[in-house]
Each structure stands twice: as structure tokens, then as C-alpha cells.
């Protein structure tokens, strides 16, 4: 599926269907530069390819910890480093790719059925995650082999 051809895109009004949203992508967000302080945002459908059903954030991560070794059967996510930095390691069942998120004006779109791990959190980092589904434990795949079998089967 070409994990080596990660696209960096900027979604625009009316073009949300012209990108293959079944592969991970970095989505660049608008940056309103201002001497009073900068501002970025995302909204559906202009920047975000799905409607938000849930928002959560991860913070106060102790050094060396990793989070989120799992995949989702159905839900899609968009992850931004609002503050600090961390890595997201994605695995499609065959290939692995690492993204370093360290700016608040872009984020990583993760379609369903990608194994994802978050690690290398910097001190005081803040990860913002939006999802198109409410929290549902049965949507989690927490066993990598089960994920791999489902993905490749
Ligand atoms: P989990 O998704 O396993 O965390 P991570 O992927 O970062 O390792 O969630 C940890 C706990 O928090 C788990 O018991 C479920 C709960 N939780 C909710 O209740 N609602 C949510 O939206 C999320 C993301 C987690």
C-alpha cells in the first residue's frame, strides 16, 4: 500500500473527495500569523476529512513511556502535537513508518486499520486527538497478530 509514499496535503473546500483517505496523510493546517500570536484551526470538511464525534488529549506522559499500541476496526483519527513533540509509529501489517509531530499547524490523519504507537514524548507535550467515533472498546484491536490477520486476510 506504499507506506513510503506518504502524502502531505492541504484539504480544500470541495476537494475532500479527491484524496485517497484510506492511507495515512499529514494534513497541513491554516496558519494565521499575527504579531499578537499565531492561530491555526481545522474544521470539517475543509481541513478534516471526517466529522468529529470525540476529542481527547494525552498529557503528562512520563519520560520513556509509550501509548496506544493498538488499531481501530472502524474509527479514523487526526492527531496533532499541540505542544512539544512525539512520534507516531504506524504499521499497516507489513511496513512501518515513523512520523515526528512537533508543530501545532499540521497533524497526522490515520485511517481505520492501522496499528499505531505513540512514543518519544517530550516534556510537557500535549497530543490532541479527534476521532469520528465515540469511545467503544470493541472497536480496539489490541493484539498485533489479530490485527495483522484481519488486515491481510
Ligand atoms: P487507550 O485508548 O487504551 O489509551 P492509549 O491508546 O493512549 O494507550 O485508553 C486508556 C483508557 O482510557 C482506557 O481504559 C479507556 C479510556 N478511554 C475512554 O474512556 N475514552 C476515550 O475516549 C479514550 C481514548 C480512552
Amino acid at each position: 500500500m506504499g507506506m513510503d509514499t506518504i502524502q502531505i496535503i492541504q484539504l480544500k473546500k470541495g476537494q475532500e473527495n479527491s484524496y485517497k483517505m484510506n492511507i495515512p496523510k499529514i494534513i497541513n493546517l491554516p496558519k494565521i500569523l499575527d504579531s499578537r500570536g499565531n492561530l491555526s484551526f481545522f474544521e470539517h470538511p475543509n481541513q478534516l476529512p471526517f466529522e468529529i464525534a470525540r476529542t481527547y488529549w494525552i498529557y503528562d506522559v512520563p519520560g520513556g513511556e509509550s501509548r496506544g499500541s493498538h488499531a481501530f476496526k472502524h474509527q479514523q483519527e487526526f492527531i496533532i502535537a499541540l505542544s512539544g513533540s512525539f512520534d507516531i509509529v504506524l504499521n499497516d501489517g507489513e511496513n512501518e513508518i515513523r512520523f515526528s509531530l512537533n508543530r501545532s499547524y499540521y497533524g497526522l490523519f490515520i485511517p481505520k486499520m492501522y496499528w499505531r504507537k505513540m512514543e518519544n514524548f517530550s516534556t510537557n507535550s500535549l497530543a490532541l486527538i479527534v476521532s469520528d467515533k465515540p469511545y467503544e472498546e470493541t472497536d480496539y484491536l489490541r493484539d498485533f497478530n489479530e490485527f495483522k490477520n484481519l488486515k491481510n486476510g
Side-chain angles (χ1 to χ4, degrees):
M1 78 93 229
M3 288 287 263
D4 51 344
T5 56
I6 286 298
Q7 260 186 310
I8 300 176
I9 62 168
Q10 191 144 7
L11 285 182
K12 294 209 177 69
K13 203 168 194 152
Q15 295 183 352
E16 60 274 10
N17 294 325
S18 38
Y19 298 100
K20 279 175 122 185
M21 295 320 283
N22 59 349
I23 54 174
K25 289 180 200 312
I26 293 287
I27 298 180
N28 281 324
L29 302 173
K31 245 194 289 185
I32 314 291
L33 301 178
D34 194 309
S35 54
R36 298 170 303 156
N38 302 332
L39 182 153
S40 289
F41 59 88
F42 55 87
E43 63 183 34
H44 170 79
N46 295 345
Q47 291 81 27
L48 194 66
F50 57 80
E51 282 191 61
I52 298 171
R54 182 165 52 106
T55 304
Y56 62 98
W57 47 100
I58 294 172
Y59 54 98
D60 291 348
V61 180
E65 283 297 339
S66 71
R67 306 270 328 201
S69 276
H70 52 64
F72 295 112
K73 290 180 215 162
H74 300 295
Q75 71 185 279
Q76 323 171 59
E77 292 186 321
F78 181 57
I79 303 182
I80 299 181
L82 275 191
S83 178
S85 62
F86 51 85
D87 295 346
I88 302 180
V89 184
L90 292 186
N91 191 308
D92 67 355
E94 283 174 29
N95 302 301
E96 201 162 87
I97 186 164
R98 177 180 296 268
F99 295 88
S100 283
L101 299 188
N102 54 21
R103 290 286 185 270
S104 59
Y105 50 78
Y106 66 84
L108 178 64
F109 167 75
I110 309 177
K112 66 181 179 180
M113 288 302 280
Y114 278 84
W115 190 266
R116 71 149 173 86
K117 197 160 94 169
M118 298 169 72
E119 58 189 29
N120 289 335
F121 289 87
S122 69
T123 305
N124 288 333
S125 58
L126 173 59
L128 178 75
I129 299 125
V130 294
S131 163
D132 67 339
K133 301 266 188 299
Y135 175 73
E136 178 60 78
E137 181 58 36
T138 58
D139 197 42
Y140 281 73
L141 292 167
R142 294 189 185 274
D143 181 288
F144 185 73
N145 285 327
E146 185 192 356
F147 158 73
K148 217 174 152 173
N149 291 338
L150 273 174
K151 181 95 179 181
N152 300 325

